[in-house]
Amino acid sequence: MSPEEVFKLQWKQIEINDVGRTDTKGQRQEWLVAYIRTTRSKTSALREIVCNQGRELKRWMAILKEYCSEHDIKSKIGPSTLVFGDPYNKFTSHPYVRYYRSWSEMRNKLKDKFKGHRFSPHPYTLYSMRSTFIEDHLLKGTDLFLLARLAGHDVKELMKSYERLDIRNRTEEITAIQFGKKKEEEFIVDLMNEEQD
């Protein structure tokens, strides 16, 4: 998600489903998947993001409720409440400068931990993980139309931005030379003239 999408995110845009399973001992293993409905700010395209952050979002809700209770904050958390709103101001958006400072702090702490991308002259940043997610799925063979919908791109834009990846993945197919192998002679099997055993 873009920062703008995160700032505007409301709880009603999030659906969490437990897609866990029962293990061999009969114990239910929880696996919370979040479906986040949002509008891509650049393209105004509606999209649904699927992510493994259901547990974290559930925990964030509990933290907010506990914080409000401990600090006697009367604001209630409802469907239209901003997920990352200011509890002291009826969960309205924090001033942008606060997000910017937090984002800058995270970027500075992580900047030496990221390795730059081989196809980009730009420094690799925290936000670059979005393109890495897309690239990893393209290399894995995830359906292009599904990936475009998840990213909020159209297929043409996705291919324009990421088409270079396929070449590296198919290097052997392009450059393979057969050494020391004689072409096998082919024989036609004539079923009509086969000798009966």
Side-chain angles (χ1 to χ4, degrees):
M1 293 175 72
S2 70
E4 185 182 339
E5 289 173 288
V6 173
F7 302 153
K8 295 178 179 177
L9 185 64
Q10 298 176 353
W11 286 106
K12 67 183 174 189
Q13 294 172 255
I14 300 170
E15 177 185 322
I16 298 175
N17 291 344
D18 184 352
V19 297
R21 62 181 183 83
T22 303
D23 65 19
T24 55
K25 297 176 184 170
Q27 300 294 315
R28 175 85 180 140
Q29 301 298 316
E30 183 181 76
W31 186 267
L32 301 180
V33 172
Y35 298 91
I36 303 171
R37 291 173 304 284
T38 185
T39 304
R40 184 101 169 102
S41 47
K42 281 184 188 175
T43 61
S44 298
L46 296 172
R47 64 189 178 127
E48 186 168 57
I49 300 167
V50 181
C51 64
N52 288 323
Q53 282 8 94
R55 184 183 65 181
E56 287 75 12
L57 287 163
K58 182 180 172 184
R59 189 168 155 247
W60 178 242
M61 170 71 86
I63 288 169
L64 287 175
K65 286 180 176 178
E66 184 179 324
Y67 185 87
C68 289
S69 175
E70 286 175 1
H71 294 86
D72 201 32
I73 296 171
K74 302 295 183 215
S75 299
K76 296 286 183 205
I77 299 171
S80 297
T81 303
L82 293 177
V83 175
F84 301 106
D86 180 359
Y88 288 103
N89 196 12
K90 297 182 181 175
F91 284 98
T92 56
S93 189
H94 287 281
Y96 185 79
V97 71
R98 226 185 226 170
Y99 291 112
Y100 181 78
R101 274 193 219 127
S102 297
W103 187 251
S104 294
E105 194 177 308
M106 278 191 294
R107 276 195 339 241
N108 289 334
K109 284 184 180 179
L110 296 171
K111 72 178 178 184
D112 297 331
K113 304 205 181 328
F114 290 123
K115 183 179 173 188
H117 196 280
R118 70 174 179 255
F119 291 119
S120 176
H122 306 293
Y124 195 84
T125 66
L126 189 58
Y127 189 64
S128 301
M129 290 193 293
R130 173 185 155 77
S131 59
T132 300
F133 171 82
I134 294 168
E135 291 165 357
D136 287 350
H137 276 278
L138 282 171
L139 291 171
K140 198 165 71 171
T142 300
D143 177 69
L144 193 59
F145 293 98
L146 172 63
L147 200 51
R149 282 180 29 218
L150 283 173
H153 291 301
D154 66 15
V155 174
K156 202 162 110 178
E157 180 61 34
L158 194 72
M159 288 309 297
K160 181 179 156 192
S161 300
Y162 298 99
E163 67 184 342
R164 65 190 179 267
L165 294 173
D166 197 36
I167 292 170
R168 282 268 179 146
N169 213 25
R170 299 177 75 182
T171 300
E172 188 177 334
E173 183 182 331
I174 296 165
T175 61
I177 299 172
Q178 298 267 336
F179 290 107
K181 233 184 175 185
K182 267 180 135 179
K183 184 173 176 176
E184 297 290 326
E185 192 175 336
E186 290 182 15
F187 297 96
I188 295 173
V189 177
D190 185 352
L191 295 176
M192 296 299 148
N193 290 325
E194 278 289 304
E195 289 183 24
Q196 299 291 324
D197 286 333

PDB file of all heavy atoms in Angstrom, residues 75-109:
ATOM      1  N   SER A  75     -12.954   7.845  23.049  1.00  0.00           N
ATOM      2  CA  SER A  75     -13.191   7.539  21.636  1.00  0.00           C
ATOM      3  C   SER A  75     -13.380   6.041  21.444  1.00  0.00           C
ATOM      4  O   SER A  75     -12.583   5.237  21.929  1.00  0.00           O
ATOM      5  CB  SER A  75     -12.018   8.006  20.779  1.00  0.00           C
ATOM      6  OG  SER A  75     -11.840   9.389  20.883  1.00  0.00           O
ATOM      7  N   LYS A  76     -14.438   5.678  20.764  1.00  0.00           N
ATOM      8  CA  LYS A  76     -14.730   4.273  20.481  1.00  0.00           C
ATOM      9  C   LYS A  76     -14.164   3.893  19.124  1.00  0.00           C
ATOM     10  O   LYS A  76     -14.142   4.699  18.191  1.00  0.00           O
ATOM     11  CB  LYS A  76     -16.242   4.019  20.479  1.00  0.00           C
ATOM     12  CG  LYS A  76     -16.893   4.252  21.823  1.00  0.00           C
ATOM     13  CD  LYS A  76     -16.557   3.136  22.767  1.00  0.00           C
ATOM     14  CE  LYS A  76     -17.279   3.348  24.087  1.00  0.00           C
ATOM     15  NZ  LYS A  76     -16.614   2.723  25.175  1.00  0.00           N
ATOM     16  N   ILE A  77     -13.729   2.658  19.018  1.00  0.00           N
ATOM     17  CA  ILE A  77     -13.233   2.145  17.754  1.00  0.00           C
ATOM     18  C   ILE A  77     -14.400   1.470  17.043  1.00  0.00           C
ATOM     19  O   ILE A  77     -14.992   0.529  17.559  1.00  0.00           O
ATOM     20  CB  ILE A  77     -12.075   1.155  17.963  1.00  0.00           C
ATOM     21  CG1 ILE A  77     -10.912   1.861  18.659  1.00  0.00           C
ATOM     22  CG2 ILE A  77     -11.632   0.561  16.637  1.00  0.00           C
ATOM     23  CD1 ILE A  77      -9.804   0.938  19.108  1.00  0.00           C
ATOM     24  N   GLY A  78     -14.721   1.980  15.857  1.00  0.00           N
ATOM     25  CA  GLY A  78     -15.819   1.432  15.073  1.00  0.00           C
ATOM     26  C   GLY A  78     -15.371   1.182  13.643  1.00  0.00           C
ATOM     27  O   GLY A  78     -14.207   1.398  13.295  1.00  0.00           O
ATOM     28  N   PRO A  79     -16.284   0.732  12.774  1.00  0.00           N
ATOM     29  CA  PRO A  79     -15.928   0.418  11.388  1.00  0.00           C
ATOM     30  C   PRO A  79     -15.277   1.590  10.636  1.00  0.00           C
ATOM     31  O   PRO A  79     -14.381   1.377   9.828  1.00  0.00           O
ATOM     32  CB  PRO A  79     -17.267   0.038  10.747  1.00  0.00           C
ATOM     33  CG  PRO A  79     -18.125  -0.380  11.890  1.00  0.00           C
ATOM     34  CD  PRO A  79     -17.683   0.434  13.067  1.00  0.00           C
ATOM     35  N   SER A  80     -15.706   2.819  10.899  1.00  0.00           N
ATOM     36  CA  SER A  80     -15.157   3.977  10.170  1.00  0.00           C
ATOM     37  C   SER A  80     -13.934   4.599  10.840  1.00  0.00           C
ATOM     38  O   SER A  80     -13.398   5.591  10.358  1.00  0.00           O
ATOM     39  CB  SER A  80     -16.237   5.046  10.011  1.00  0.00           C
ATOM     40  OG  SER A  80     -17.289   4.539   9.231  1.00  0.00           O
ATOM     41  N   THR A  81     -13.481   4.015  11.936  1.00  0.00           N
ATOM     42  CA  THR A  81     -12.308   4.523  12.633  1.00  0.00           C
ATOM     43  C   THR A  81     -11.056   4.254  11.796  1.00  0.00           C
ATOM     44  O   THR A  81     -10.902   3.167  11.237  1.00  0.00           O
ATOM     45  CB  THR A  81     -12.153   3.833  14.001  1.00  0.00           C
ATOM     46  OG1 THR A  81     -13.339   4.025  14.756  1.00  0.00           O
ATOM     47  CG2 THR A  81     -10.967   4.371  14.780  1.00  0.00           C
ATOM     48  N   LEU A  82     -10.165   5.240  11.739  1.00  0.00           N
ATOM     49  CA  LEU A  82      -8.891   5.049  11.046  1.00  0.00           C
ATOM     50  C   LEU A  82      -8.037   4.045  11.815  1.00  0.00           C
ATOM     51  O   LEU A  82      -7.905   4.136  13.033  1.00  0.00           O
ATOM     52  CB  LEU A  82      -8.130   6.369  10.916  1.00  0.00           C
ATOM     53  CG  LEU A  82      -8.743   7.436  10.008  1.00  0.00           C
ATOM     54  CD1 LEU A  82      -7.899   8.710  10.046  1.00  0.00           C
ATOM     55  CD2 LEU A  82      -8.880   6.938   8.581  1.00  0.00           C
ATOM     56  N   VAL A  83      -7.455   3.105  11.102  1.00  0.00           N
ATOM     57  CA  VAL A  83      -6.635   2.064  11.717  1.00  0.00           C
ATOM     58  C   VAL A  83      -5.425   2.686  12.416  1.00  0.00           C
ATOM     59  O   VAL A  83      -5.023   2.250  13.484  1.00  0.00           O
ATOM     60  CB  VAL A  83      -6.192   1.024  10.658  1.00  0.00           C
ATOM     61  CG1 VAL A  83      -5.226   0.001  11.251  1.00  0.00           C
ATOM     62  CG2 VAL A  83      -7.413   0.331  10.069  1.00  0.00           C
ATOM     63  N   PHE A  84      -4.869   3.739  11.821  1.00  0.00           N
ATOM     64  CA  PHE A  84      -3.682   4.376  12.391  1.00  0.00           C
ATOM     65  C   PHE A  84      -3.984   5.825  12.786  1.00  0.00           C
ATOM     66  O   PHE A  84      -3.142   6.703  12.665  1.00  0.00           O
ATOM     67  CB  PHE A  84      -2.515   4.298  11.400  1.00  0.00           C
ATOM     68  CG  PHE A  84      -2.168   2.878  11.046  1.00  0.00           C
ATOM     69  CD1 PHE A  84      -2.505   2.357   9.805  1.00  0.00           C
ATOM     70  CD2 PHE A  84      -1.538   2.054  11.968  1.00  0.00           C
ATOM     71  CE1 PHE A  84      -2.200   1.035   9.488  1.00  0.00           C
ATOM     72  CE2 PHE A  84      -1.241   0.739  11.660  1.00  0.00           C
ATOM     73  CZ  PHE A  84      -1.572   0.229  10.408  1.00  0.00           C
ATOM     74  N   GLY A  85      -5.196   6.063  13.280  1.00  0.00           N
ATOM     75  CA  GLY A  85      -5.605   7.400  13.699  1.00  0.00           C
ATOM     76  C   GLY A  85      -5.114   7.754  15.095  1.00  0.00           C
ATOM     77  O   GLY A  85      -4.592   6.913  15.832  1.00  0.00           O
ATOM     78  N   ASP A  86      -5.314   9.012  15.466  1.00  0.00           N
ATOM     79  CA  ASP A  86      -4.873   9.549  16.755  1.00  0.00           C
ATOM     80  C   ASP A  86      -5.968   9.347  17.806  1.00  0.00           C
ATOM     81  O   ASP A  86      -7.013   9.988  17.754  1.00  0.00           O
ATOM     82  CB  ASP A  86      -4.569  11.043  16.587  1.00  0.00           C
ATOM     83  CG  ASP A  86      -4.093  11.709  17.862  1.00  0.00           C
ATOM     84  OD1 ASP A  86      -4.014  11.032  18.912  1.00  0.00           O
ATOM     85  OD2 ASP A  86      -3.802  12.917  17.813  1.00  0.00           O
ATOM     86  N   PRO A  87      -5.752   8.456  18.787  1.00  0.00           N
ATOM     87  CA  PRO A  87      -6.787   8.188  19.785  1.00  0.00           C
ATOM     88  C   PRO A  87      -7.148   9.424  20.625  1.00  0.00           C
ATOM     89  O   PRO A  87      -8.257   9.528  21.126  1.00  0.00           O
ATOM     90  CB  PRO A  87      -6.189   7.094  20.668  1.00  0.00           C
ATOM     91  CG  PRO A  87      -4.799   6.878  20.236  1.00  0.00           C
ATOM     92  CD  PRO A  87      -4.561   7.650  18.986  1.00  0.00           C
ATOM     93  N   TYR A  88      -6.227  10.363  20.761  1.00  0.00           N
ATOM     94  CA  TYR A  88      -6.489  11.569  21.542  1.00  0.00           C
ATOM     95  C   TYR A  88      -7.334  12.587  20.777  1.00  0.00           C
ATOM     96  O   TYR A  88      -7.784  13.564  21.340  1.00  0.00           O
ATOM     97  CB  TYR A  88      -5.173  12.224  21.981  1.00  0.00           C
ATOM     98  CG  TYR A  88      -4.466  11.436  23.044  1.00  0.00           C
ATOM     99  CD1 TYR A  88      -3.373  10.651  22.719  1.00  0.00           C
ATOM    100  CD2 TYR A  88      -4.911  11.443  24.360  1.00  0.00           C
ATOM    101  CE1 TYR A  88      -2.727   9.906  23.698  1.00  0.00           C
ATOM    102  CE2 TYR A  88      -4.276  10.697  25.342  1.00  0.00           C
ATOM    103  CZ  TYR A  88      -3.185   9.926  25.005  1.00  0.00           C
ATOM    104  OH  TYR A  88      -2.552   9.183  25.976  1.00  0.00           O
ATOM    105  N   ASN A  89      -7.539  12.338  19.493  1.00  0.00           N
ATOM    106  CA  ASN A  89      -8.290  13.282  18.661  1.00  0.00           C
ATOM    107  C   ASN A  89      -9.372  12.532  17.871  1.00  0.00           C
ATOM    108  O   ASN A  89      -9.470  12.673  16.658  1.00  0.00           O
ATOM    109  CB  ASN A  89      -7.325  14.031  17.729  1.00  0.00           C
ATOM    110  CG  ASN A  89      -7.935  15.265  17.139  1.00  0.00           C
ATOM    111  OD1 ASN A  89      -8.989  15.726  17.555  1.00  0.00           O
ATOM    112  ND2 ASN A  89      -7.272  15.795  16.130  1.00  0.00           N
ATOM    113  N   LYS A  90     -10.125  11.692  18.581  1.00  0.00           N
ATOM    114  CA  LYS A  90     -11.228  10.914  17.995  1.00  0.00           C
ATOM    115  C   LYS A  90     -10.782  10.081  16.784  1.00  0.00           C
ATOM    116  O   LYS A  90     -11.521   9.897  15.826  1.00  0.00           O
ATOM    117  CB  LYS A  90     -12.391  11.817  17.607  1.00  0.00           C
ATOM    118  CG  LYS A  90     -13.001  12.520  18.799  1.00  0.00           C
ATOM    119  CD  LYS A  90     -14.181  13.361  18.377  1.00  0.00           C
ATOM    120  CE  LYS A  90     -14.744  14.059  19.595  1.00  0.00           C
ATOM    121  NZ  LYS A  90     -15.803  14.970  19.288  1.00  0.00           N
ATOM    122  N   PHE A  91      -9.577   9.596  16.830  1.00  0.00           N
ATOM    123  CA  PHE A  91      -8.990   8.744  15.793  1.00  0.00           C
ATOM    124  C   PHE A  91      -8.938   9.412  14.423  1.00  0.00           C
ATOM    125  O   PHE A  91      -8.969   8.748  13.401  1.00  0.00           O
ATOM    126  CB  PHE A  91      -9.699   7.383  15.716  1.00  0.00           C
ATOM    127  CG  PHE A  91      -9.308   6.471  16.830  1.00  0.00           C
ATOM    128  CD1 PHE A  91     -10.112   6.345  17.952  1.00  0.00           C
ATOM    129  CD2 PHE A  91      -8.120   5.757  16.781  1.00  0.00           C
ATOM    130  CE1 PHE A  91      -9.741   5.511  18.999  1.00  0.00           C
ATOM    131  CE2 PHE A  91      -7.747   4.928  17.821  1.00  0.00           C
ATOM    132  CZ  PHE A  91      -8.554   4.797  18.932  1.00  0.00           C
ATOM    133  N   THR A  92      -8.848  10.736  14.405  1.00  0.00           N
ATOM    134  CA  THR A  92      -8.613  11.412  13.130  1.00  0.00           C
ATOM    135  C   THR A  92      -7.145  11.179  12.768  1.00  0.00           C
ATOM    136  O   THR A  92      -6.353  10.707  13.578  1.00  0.00           O
ATOM    137  CB  THR A  92      -8.901  12.928  13.224  1.00  0.00           C
ATOM    138  OG1 THR A  92      -8.098  13.473  14.264  1.00  0.00           O
ATOM    139  CG2 THR A  92     -10.368  13.190  13.491  1.00  0.00           C
ATOM    140  N   SER A  93      -6.803  11.531  11.571  1.00  0.00           N
ATOM    141  CA  SER A  93      -5.447  11.306  11.086  1.00  0.00           C
ATOM    142  C   SER A  93      -4.432  12.113  11.894  1.00  0.00           C
ATOM    143  O   SER A  93      -4.684  13.262  12.253  1.00  0.00           O
ATOM    144  CB  SER A  93      -5.369  11.685   9.613  1.00  0.00           C
ATOM    145  OG  SER A  93      -4.137  11.290   9.082  1.00  0.00           O
ATOM    146  N   HIS A  94      -3.313  11.500  12.189  1.00  0.00           N
ATOM    147  CA  HIS A  94      -2.207  12.220  12.824  1.00  0.00           C
ATOM    148  C   HIS A  94      -1.698  13.274  11.845  1.00  0.00           C
ATOM    149  O   HIS A  94      -1.846  13.121  10.628  1.00  0.00           O
ATOM    150  CB  HIS A  94      -1.038  11.263  13.130  1.00  0.00           C
ATOM    151  CG  HIS A  94      -1.297  10.332  14.257  1.00  0.00           C
ATOM    152  ND1 HIS A  94      -1.194  10.702  15.578  1.00  0.00           N
ATOM    153  CD2 HIS A  94      -1.638   9.011  14.259  1.00  0.00           C
ATOM    154  CE1 HIS A  94      -1.454   9.668  16.345  1.00  0.00           C
ATOM    155  NE2 HIS A  94      -1.740   8.635  15.577  1.00  0.00           N
ATOM    156  N   PRO A  95      -1.047  14.324  12.326  1.00  0.00           N
ATOM    157  CA  PRO A  95      -0.420  15.272  11.408  1.00  0.00           C
ATOM    158  C   PRO A  95       0.595  14.534  10.522  1.00  0.00           C
ATOM    159  O   PRO A  95       1.308  13.641  11.006  1.00  0.00           O
ATOM    160  CB  PRO A  95       0.293  16.265  12.333  1.00  0.00           C
ATOM    161  CG  PRO A  95      -0.356  16.100  13.659  1.00  0.00           C
ATOM    162  CD  PRO A  95      -0.853  14.690  13.722  1.00  0.00           C
ATOM    163  N   TYR A  96       0.643  14.893   9.270  1.00  0.00           N
ATOM    164  CA  TYR A  96       1.509  14.201   8.314  1.00  0.00           C
ATOM    165  C   TYR A  96       2.962  14.173   8.786  1.00  0.00           C
ATOM    166  O   TYR A  96       3.666  13.192   8.585  1.00  0.00           O
ATOM    167  CB  TYR A  96       1.406  14.852   6.929  1.00  0.00           C
ATOM    168  CG  TYR A  96       2.187  14.106   5.887  1.00  0.00           C
ATOM    169  CD1 TYR A  96       1.668  12.944   5.315  1.00  0.00           C
ATOM    170  CD2 TYR A  96       3.462  14.520   5.511  1.00  0.00           C
ATOM    171  CE1 TYR A  96       2.394  12.234   4.385  1.00  0.00           C
ATOM    172  CE2 TYR A  96       4.188  13.816   4.581  1.00  0.00           C
ATOM    173  CZ  TYR A  96       3.654  12.667   4.018  1.00  0.00           C
ATOM    174  OH  TYR A  96       4.377  11.955   3.106  1.00  0.00           O
ATOM    175  N   VAL A  97       3.403  15.238   9.439  1.00  0.00           N
ATOM    176  CA  VAL A  97       4.789  15.311   9.885  1.00  0.00           C
ATOM    177  C   VAL A  97       5.135  14.168  10.832  1.00  0.00           C
ATOM    178  O   VAL A  97       6.255  13.672  10.840  1.00  0.00           O
ATOM    179  CB  VAL A  97       5.105  16.695  10.513  1.00  0.00           C
ATOM    180  CG1 VAL A  97       4.417  16.858  11.867  1.00  0.00           C
ATOM    181  CG2 VAL A  97       6.600  16.913  10.648  1.00  0.00           C
ATOM    182  N   ARG A  98       4.177  13.682  11.589  1.00  0.00           N
ATOM    183  CA  ARG A  98       4.409  12.556  12.502  1.00  0.00           C
ATOM    184  C   ARG A  98       4.692  11.270  11.723  1.00  0.00           C
ATOM    185  O   ARG A  98       5.596  10.513  12.046  1.00  0.00           O
ATOM    186  CB  ARG A  98       3.175  12.361  13.381  1.00  0.00           C
ATOM    187  CG  ARG A  98       3.529  12.190  14.810  1.00  0.00           C
ATOM    188  CD  ARG A  98       2.323  11.880  15.626  1.00  0.00           C
ATOM    189  NE  ARG A  98       2.379  12.717  16.796  1.00  0.00           N
ATOM    190  CZ  ARG A  98       1.397  12.859  17.640  1.00  0.00           C
ATOM    191  NH1 ARG A  98       0.257  12.251  17.426  1.00  0.00           N
ATOM    192  NH2 ARG A  98       1.523  13.603  18.688  1.00  0.00           N
ATOM    193  N   TYR A  99       3.876  11.027  10.692  1.00  0.00           N
ATOM    194  CA  TYR A  99       4.107   9.858   9.843  1.00  0.00           C
ATOM    195  C   TYR A  99       5.469   9.973   9.159  1.00  0.00           C
ATOM    196  O   TYR A  99       6.223   9.016   9.083  1.00  0.00           O
ATOM    197  CB  TYR A  99       3.021   9.732   8.770  1.00  0.00           C
ATOM    198  CG  TYR A  99       1.662   9.364   9.297  1.00  0.00           C
ATOM    199  CD1 TYR A  99       0.620  10.270   9.248  1.00  0.00           C
ATOM    200  CD2 TYR A  99       1.417   8.099   9.819  1.00  0.00           C
ATOM    201  CE1 TYR A  99      -0.643   9.936   9.707  1.00  0.00           C
ATOM    202  CE2 TYR A  99       0.159   7.749  10.283  1.00  0.00           C
ATOM    203  CZ  TYR A  99      -0.870   8.673  10.223  1.00  0.00           C
ATOM    204  OH  TYR A  99      -2.105   8.338  10.682  1.00  0.00           O
ATOM    205  N   TYR A 100       5.738  11.180   8.661  1.00  0.00           N
ATOM    206  CA  TYR A 100       6.984  11.402   7.943  1.00  0.00           C
ATOM    207  C   TYR A 100       8.188  11.124   8.841  1.00  0.00           C
ATOM    208  O   TYR A 100       9.136  10.458   8.436  1.00  0.00           O
ATOM    209  CB  TYR A 100       7.041  12.832   7.397  1.00  0.00           C
ATOM    210  CG  TYR A 100       8.304  13.100   6.620  1.00  0.00           C
ATOM    211  CD1 TYR A 100       8.446  12.632   5.323  1.00  0.00           C
ATOM    212  CD2 TYR A 100       9.365  13.780   7.214  1.00  0.00           C
ATOM    213  CE1 TYR A 100       9.615  12.848   4.621  1.00  0.00           C
ATOM    214  CE2 TYR A 100      10.539  13.999   6.517  1.00  0.00           C
ATOM    215  CZ  TYR A 100      10.659  13.533   5.220  1.00  0.00           C
ATOM    216  OH  TYR A 100      11.824  13.732   4.530  1.00  0.00           O
ATOM    217  N   ARG A 101       8.136  11.613  10.082  1.00  0.00           N
ATOM    218  CA  ARG A 101       9.240  11.379  11.025  1.00  0.00           C
ATOM    219  C   ARG A 101       9.419   9.883  11.321  1.00  0.00           C
ATOM    220  O   ARG A 101      10.533   9.378  11.336  1.00  0.00           O
ATOM    221  CB  ARG A 101       8.991  12.125  12.331  1.00  0.00           C
ATOM    222  CG  ARG A 101       9.471  13.542  12.292  1.00  0.00           C
ATOM    223  CD  ARG A 101       9.495  14.139  13.710  1.00  0.00           C
ATOM    224  NE  ARG A 101       9.039  15.513  13.633  1.00  0.00           N
ATOM    225  CZ  ARG A 101       8.069  16.039  14.351  1.00  0.00           C
ATOM    226  NH1 ARG A 101       7.431  15.309  15.242  1.00  0.00           N
ATOM    227  NH2 ARG A 101       7.725  17.286  14.205  1.00  0.00           N
ATOM    228  N   SER A 102       8.299   9.205  11.564  1.00  0.00           N
ATOM    229  CA  SER A 102       8.370   7.764  11.855  1.00  0.00           C
ATOM    230  C   SER A 102       8.922   6.994  10.660  1.00  0.00           C
ATOM    231  O   SER A 102       9.762   6.105  10.805  1.00  0.00           O
ATOM    232  CB  SER A 102       6.989   7.217  12.218  1.00  0.00           C
ATOM    233  OG  SER A 102       6.526   7.814  13.389  1.00  0.00           O
ATOM    234  N   TRP A 103       8.424   7.344   9.478  1.00  0.00           N
ATOM    235  CA  TRP A 103       8.873   6.685   8.239  1.00  0.00           C
ATOM    236  C   TRP A 103      10.368   6.941   8.037  1.00  0.00           C
ATOM    237  O   TRP A 103      11.124   6.026   7.719  1.00  0.00           O
ATOM    238  CB  TRP A 103       8.051   7.207   7.070  1.00  0.00           C
ATOM    239  CG  TRP A 103       8.281   6.517   5.771  1.00  0.00           C
ATOM    240  CD1 TRP A 103       8.916   7.028   4.682  1.00  0.00           C
ATOM    241  CD2 TRP A 103       7.878   5.192   5.397  1.00  0.00           C
ATOM    242  NE1 TRP A 103       8.934   6.103   3.664  1.00  0.00           N
ATOM    243  CE2 TRP A 103       8.301   4.975   4.080  1.00  0.00           C
ATOM    244  CE3 TRP A 103       7.199   4.176   6.074  1.00  0.00           C
ATOM    245  CZ2 TRP A 103       8.072   3.790   3.403  1.00  0.00           C
ATOM    246  CZ3 TRP A 103       6.966   2.989   5.380  1.00  0.00           C
ATOM    247  CH2 TRP A 103       7.394   2.806   4.075  1.00  0.00           C
ATOM    248  N   SER A 104      10.814   8.183   8.254  1.00  0.00           N
ATOM    249  CA  SER A 104      12.228   8.533   8.099  1.00  0.00           C
ATOM    250  C   SER A 104      13.087   7.777   9.100  1.00  0.00           C
ATOM    251  O   SER A 104      14.174   7.286   8.769  1.00  0.00           O
ATOM    252  CB  SER A 104      12.440  10.032   8.297  1.00  0.00           C
ATOM    253  OG  SER A 104      11.809  10.751   7.287  1.00  0.00           O
ATOM    254  N   GLU A 105      12.590   7.665  10.316  1.00  0.00           N
ATOM    255  CA  GLU A 105      13.320   6.945  11.359  1.00  0.00           C
ATOM    256  C   GLU A 105      13.490   5.475  10.974  1.00  0.00           C
ATOM    257  O   GLU A 105      14.583   4.914  11.097  1.00  0.00           O
ATOM    258  CB  GLU A 105      12.549   7.067  12.678  1.00  0.00           C
ATOM    259  CG  GLU A 105      13.337   6.662  13.896  1.00  0.00           C
ATOM    260  CD  GLU A 105      12.528   6.887  15.169  1.00  0.00           C
ATOM    261  OE1 GLU A 105      12.019   8.011  15.362  1.00  0.00           O
ATOM    262  OE2 GLU A 105      12.404   5.925  15.951  1.00  0.00           O
ATOM    263  N   MET A 106      12.419   4.860  10.502  1.00  0.00           N
ATOM    264  CA  MET A 106      12.503   3.462  10.077  1.00  0.00           C
ATOM    265  C   MET A 106      13.475   3.306   8.908  1.00  0.00           C
ATOM    266  O   MET A 106      14.291   2.392   8.886  1.00  0.00           O
ATOM    267  CB  MET A 106      11.122   2.936   9.661  1.00  0.00           C
ATOM    268  CG  MET A 106      10.269   2.495  10.802  1.00  0.00           C
ATOM    269  SD  MET A 106       8.814   1.595  10.260  1.00  0.00           S
ATOM    270  CE  MET A 106       7.890   2.844   9.406  1.00  0.00           C
ATOM    271  N   ARG A 107      13.349   4.203   7.916  1.00  0.00           N
ATOM    272  CA  ARG A 107      14.230   4.141   6.746  1.00  0.00           C
ATOM    273  C   ARG A 107      15.695   4.270   7.161  1.00  0.00           C
ATOM    274  O   ARG A 107      16.539   3.531   6.679  1.00  0.00           O
ATOM    275  CB  ARG A 107      13.888   5.266   5.765  1.00  0.00           C
ATOM    276  CG  ARG A 107      12.763   4.943   4.850  1.00  0.00           C
ATOM    277  CD  ARG A 107      12.669   5.902   3.672  1.00  0.00           C
ATOM    278  NE  ARG A 107      13.315   7.175   3.868  1.00  0.00           N
ATOM    279  CZ  ARG A 107      12.694   8.351   3.840  1.00  0.00           C
ATOM    280  NH1 ARG A 107      11.408   8.413   3.628  1.00  0.00           N
ATOM    281  NH2 ARG A 107      13.358   9.474   4.010  1.00  0.00           N
ATOM    282  N   ASN A 108      15.984   5.201   8.059  1.00  0.00           N
ATOM    283  CA  ASN A 108      17.370   5.408   8.489  1.00  0.00           C
ATOM    284  C   ASN A 108      17.920   4.198   9.234  1.00  0.00           C
ATOM    285  O   ASN A 108      19.077   3.839   9.078  1.00  0.00           O
ATOM    286  CB  ASN A 108      17.484   6.663   9.355  1.00  0.00           C
ATOM    287  CG  ASN A 108      17.302   7.917   8.540  1.00  0.00           C
ATOM    288  OD1 ASN A 108      17.549   7.940   7.334  1.00  0.00           O
ATOM    289  ND2 ASN A 108      16.872   8.987   9.187  1.00  0.00           N
ATOM    290  N   LYS A 109      17.081   3.576  10.058  1.00  0.00           N
ATOM    291  CA  LYS A 109      17.537   2.404  10.803  1.00  0.00           C
ATOM    292  C   LYS A 109      17.770   1.203   9.883  1.00  0.00           C
ATOM    293  O   LYS A 109      18.601   0.347  10.157  1.00  0.00           O
ATOM    294  CB  LYS A 109      16.526   2.033  11.889  1.00  0.00           C
ATOM    295  CG  LYS A 109      16.595   2.956  13.081  1.00  0.00           C
ATOM    296  CD  LYS A 109      15.660   2.516  14.177  1.00  0.00           C
ATOM    297  CE  LYS A 109      15.775   3.485  15.353  1.00  0.00           C
ATOM    298  NZ  LYS A 109      14.889   3.128  16.441  1.00  0.00           N
TER     299      LYS A 109
END
